[in-house]
Structures are given as structure tokens and as C-alpha cells.
């Protein structure tokens, strides 16, 4: 009698853990997708008066787009790929309960989580974009690079929002990786579902 | 005698330690002075926060790599080393990514933002920074190989069970 109730409790706790992991994955997917979209649609056009010829001002139209900077292009691609990975993992958890290959499924999920999304992609993309944004905001006097954020404020603000969203996604992906690894390490000791 | 597994792991860790040390030294000793039409300038790694972050991150990993070299095999701390490997790989990736972003602008400039490339005037500085980044890349790849190898050793019992 006691043994079956403890098995029930174990099964219940494993089901609730599965939903917790799924919720965190959905939030992380939203965070990285937000970062991708906000940075990809980041564009600002401004007309500046360059010189005066007589009494008519000469205007120049400048556009700030994310494609001008390779670091931001990398940021968009990295966050896009991480969102895709999260989406795939959500699909697999919801619909792919039958897919298994020698019990390797949990191991592959954990490793893919760790290597692709968390470690390589998001951290590299967020870091490169952060430092490029820092140069854009403060300039670099030694290299004679002027700051651009005082002229293109909306562009800089949106870029900042995208970087913050990506960092939040990174922290959530770290939590997901830790949970996946714990699931992997606890598997052989518990009752198979 | 030393088992071949242990020897391979030790060799990889030594390579990783050596390349991180090379990256730190190359980046930290890169500075160049010159004149450009009577304007004197100096290029140092402290000019950009990205390069400072690179030096600090790789210095931390060098110290860590040095300490791990002396860890006796079979000690329970190796599980902690596996987790720390992952954390430090993340640190390395973020620092090399930042340094490469800034170095790319320094080499090619960004004409839309009126940022001129700097490498034409300070060629020696640029070459040394490139060398530091290459050494950093090799260290990163070595650490990733080490991580995959440790995970394979950890999970091997699980595979054989199934």
C-alpha cells in the first residue's frame, strides 16, 4: 500500500517538473524571439543639415540599420537560431513522447541545450552586440570614433531593449540547461514512466 | 603507469593552458606608438573595454587551467571541474566574441558611422591583436573538445546500460 502511494507521488512530481520545464522554455523562447524581432526591425532615418549655401540648407538623409554592423547581424542570427531550437524542443516535449533511441533522447536534449543555445549562440551574440553598442554610445576617443547615440536615439534605445531581452533569455536558458542535466542524471535511478 | 585516457586529458588541458596564456600575453603586450601627420597617437589594449574584458577573462581561465593540471585523478572534484569547464567556456566565448566585434571594426571601419579603420596606422598592434585572437580561438576549441570528452566519459555508463 505504502509503496504504490510513494510511486504515485514520484510520478506526480515528475509530471509537475515536466510542466515547470516547459513553462520556462516557453518564456525563454519568447525572450529570444523578442530580441530577434526588435533588433531585426531596428531602423531609424534622420535628416541632418550639413551646410548652408547662401540661405538654403543642404540636407543629408542618414539611415541607421542593423545590417550596417556585423555584430548586430550575428546577434539577430544567433537569437533567431536559439528561438528555433527552443521551439523545436517545445514541440518534441509536447508531441514526441514516442520518439526515443536507446534512451539517448534526454541526453541529446541536454547536450543540444547546453552547446548550441546557451553557451555558444546566445552568449556570443549578446556579448558582441553589447560591446558594439557601448562603442556606439560612448565613442572611442583613441580611435577617433564618434558616438552615434546622440543623433539616433530611438535606434539605440531599441538596440538596448533587444540586448536586455537576449540576456534574460540567456539566464533562462542556463536554468533550463541545469534542469535538463539534472533530469538526465536522475533518470537511471527512478522508476521508468 | 599513466592510463592513456588520463594522458590524453592531461595533454589537452596543457594545450588549453598554454594557448590561454599566449593569448593573454600577446594582447597585454600589444602597444604601438606613432605619428600621423604630426599628430602622435598610441594604441594600447586598454583603449577598448572589449580588449580589457578579453585579457581579464583569459587570465582567469589561465589560472583555472593551471590549478586543474595538478588535480589528482579519481578525486570527486572532477565533477565540479566539469561544471566549471562549462561556465568558463561561456566566459571565453563571450570575451572572444566581443573582442572580435571591436577588432573587425578596427580593421574594416564602419563607413556609415564615419568610423575609420585604425589598422592602417598601427599595423604592428593589429597583427599582435590578431595573434591573440587566434590563440584565444585555439584555446576555446580545446576547451570544447575537453568538455565533450568529459561528458562522453560521464555518460558512457548510461549508454552501456540501455
Amino acid at each position: 500500500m505504502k509503496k504504490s502511494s510513494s510511486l504515485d507521488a514520484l510520478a506526480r512530481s515528475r509530471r509537475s517538473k515536466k510542466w515547470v520545464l516547459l513553462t520556462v522554455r516557453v518564456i525563454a523562447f519568447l525572450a529570444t524571439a523578442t530580441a530577434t524581432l526588435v533588433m531585426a526591425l531596428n531602423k531609424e532615418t534622420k535628416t541632418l543639415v550639413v551646410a548652408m549655401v547662401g540661405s538654403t540648407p543642404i540636407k543629408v538623409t542618414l539611415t541607421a540599420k542593423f545590417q550596417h554592423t556585423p555584430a548586430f547581424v550575428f546577434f539577430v542570427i544567433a537569437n533567431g537560431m536559439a528561438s528555433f531550437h527552443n521551439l523545436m524542443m517545445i514541440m518534441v516535449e509536447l508531441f514526441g513522447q514516442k520518439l526515443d533511441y536507446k534512451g539517448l533522447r534526454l541526453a541529446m536534449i541536454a547536450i543540444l541545450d547546453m552547446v548550441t543555445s546557451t553557451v555558444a549562440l546566445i552568449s556570443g551574440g549578446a556579448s558582441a552586440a553589447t560591446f558594439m553598442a557601448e562603442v556606439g554610445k560612448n565613442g572611442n576617443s583613441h580611435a577617433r570614433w564618434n558616438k552615434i547615440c546622440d543623433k539616433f536615439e530611438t535606434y539605440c534605445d531599441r538596440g538596448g531593449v533587444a540586448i536586455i531581452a537576449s540576456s534574460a533569455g540567456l539566464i533562462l536558458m542556463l536554468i533550463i540547461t541545469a534542469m535538463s542535466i539534472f533530469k538526465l542524471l536522475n533518470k537511471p535511478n527512478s522508476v521508468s514512466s | 603507469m599513466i592510463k592513456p585516457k588520463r594522458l590524453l586529458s592531461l595533454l589537452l588541458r596543457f594545450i588549453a593552458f598554454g594557448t590561454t596564456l599566449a593569448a593573454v600575453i600577446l594582447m597585454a603586450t600589444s602597444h604601438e606608438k606613432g605619428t600621423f601627420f604630426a599628430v602622435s597617437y598610441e594604441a594600447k589594449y586598454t583603449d577598448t573595454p572589449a580588449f580589457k574584458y578579453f585579457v581579464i577573462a583569459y587570465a582567469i581561465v589561465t589560472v583555472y587551467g593551471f590549478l586543474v593540471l595538478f588535480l589528482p585523478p579519481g578525486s570527486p572534484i572532477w565533477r565540479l571541474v566539469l561544471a566549471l569547464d562549462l561556465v568558463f567556456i561561456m566566459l571565453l566565448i563571450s570575451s572572444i566574441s566581443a573582442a572580435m566585434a571591436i577588432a573587425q571594426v578596427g580593421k574594416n571601419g564602419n563607413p556609415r558611422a564615419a568610423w575609420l579603420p585604425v589598422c592602417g596606422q598601427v599595423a604592428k598592434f593589429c597583427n599582435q591583436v590578431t595573434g591573440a585572437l587566434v590563440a584565444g580561438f585555439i584555446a576555446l576549441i580545446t576547451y570544447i573538445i575537453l568538455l565533450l570528452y568529459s561528458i562522453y566519459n560521464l555518460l558512457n555508463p548510461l549508454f552501456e546500460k540501455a
Side-chain angles (χ1 to χ4, degrees):
Chain A
M1 214 53 202
K2 250 192 178 175
K3 200 166 185 194
S4 79
S5 76
S6 78
L7 281 177
D8 272 346
L10 191 64
R12 266 203 304 275
S13 81
R14 288 176 89 234
R15 271 202 300 271
S16 70
K17 263 192 220 138
K18 174 185 163 204
W19 285 115
V20 167
L21 184 62
L22 203 60
T23 318
V24 180
R25 254 193 218 282
V26 168
I27 301 179
F29 166 69
L30 288 175
T32 46
T34 312
T36 317
L37 282 173
V38 169
M39 189 57 97
L41 302 171
N42 201 3
K43 186 174 155 180
E44 190 177 355
T45 316
K46 230 179 164 103
T47 20
L48 300 169
V49 176
V50 175
M52 300 279 288
V53 176
S55 58
T56 50
I58 298 183
K59 292 208 175 81
V60 156
T61 315
L62 290 171
T63 323
K65 283 191 273 204
F66 84 95
Q67 294 108 315
H68 296 336
T69 325
F72 290 157
V73 174
F74 175 45
F75 178 81
V76 168
I77 294 178
N79 277 285
M81 285 174 69
S83 315
F84 181 67
H85 161 87
N86 260 334
L87 198 62
M88 282 291 115
M89 289 300 149
I90 293 175
M91 293 296 156
V92 164
E93 284 213 32
L94 282 180
F95 303 126
Q97 286 299 337
K98 304 291 182 206
L99 286 170
D100 211 347
Y101 176 69
K102 279 198 228 179
L104 265 183
R105 177 168 146 239
L106 279 179
M108 283 317 296
I109 290 180
I111 292 177
L112 272 177
D113 266 341
M114 183 167 25
V115 171
T116 64
S117 289
T118 312
V119 176
L121 288 175
I122 307 186
S123 71
S127 150
T130 312
F131 277 93
M132 281 308 298
E134 193 272 338
V135 174
K137 195 173 178 66
N138 299 334
N140 193 329
S141 55
H142 303 273
R144 313 265 193 288
W145 291 339
N146 301 324
K147 58 173 115 165
I148 59 170
C149 270
D150 47 358
K151 300 193 196 65
F152 291 95
E153 279 176 18
T154 323
Y155 179 75
C156 279
D157 284 341
R158 290 210 200 117
V161 166
I163 293 176
I164 291 176
S166 176
S167 307
L170 176 67
I171 294 178
L172 289 169
M173 285 304 300
L174 274 173
I175 297 176
I176 291 177
T177 305
M179 284 163 96
S180 301
I181 293 183
F182 276 129
K183 259 172 84 164
L184 178 65
L185 289 178
N186 289 339
K187 188 174 190 280
N189 304 335
S190 62
V191 181
S192 62
S193 57
Chain B
M1 260 326 287
I2 306 179
K3 292 192 302 194
K5 250 192 207 178
R6 162 101 179 129
L7 191 65
L8 179 67
S9 156
L10 206 61
L11 184 69
L12 281 174
R13 284 204 188 268
F14 188 69
I15 291 177
F17 164 69
T19 39
T20 48
L21 189 64
V24 170
I25 291 179
L26 278 175
M27 184 66 93
T29 58
S30 65
H31 55 85
E32 188 170 349
K33 276 194 172 147
T35 52
F36 179 62
F37 295 136
V39 172
S40 80
Y41 58 88
E42 184 176 2
K44 280 190 300 217
Y45 80 94
T46 43
D47 289 344
T48 338
F51 290 166
K52 280 192 275 196
Y53 178 41
F54 180 83
V55 166
I56 293 173
Y58 271 78
I60 293 175
V61 177
T62 308
V63 170
Y64 164 75
F66 185 67
L67 291 175
V68 169
L69 276 179
F70 295 121
L71 202 59
S75 138
I77 304 185
W78 279 104
R79 286 211 156 190
L80 180 66
V81 167
L82 179 64
L84 278 181
D85 261 352
L86 186 63
V87 170
F88 283 124
I89 284 181
M90 224 169 95
L91 187 66
L92 290 190
I93 285 188
S94 89
S95 69
I96 203 173
S97 169
M100 272 210 298
I102 303 292
Q104 192 269 341
V105 179
K107 195 173 179 68
N108 300 334
N110 194 335
R112 318 268 189 159
W115 289 343
L116 298 173
V118 200
C119 272
Q121 288 109 37
V122 278
K124 178 169 157 283
F125 173 72
C126 267
N127 290 341
Q128 210 160 337
V129 166
T130 312
L133 289 177
V134 166
F137 239 125
I138 298 177
L140 179 66
I141 293 179
T142 315
Y143 263 109
I144 291 181
I145 294 178
L146 264 171
L147 181 74
L148 291 175
Y149 187 61
S150 311
I151 294 178
Y152 171 68
N153 281 339
L154 185 69
L155 290 183
N156 223 0
L158 273 177
F159 291 162
E160 283 162 21
K161 235 188 194 175

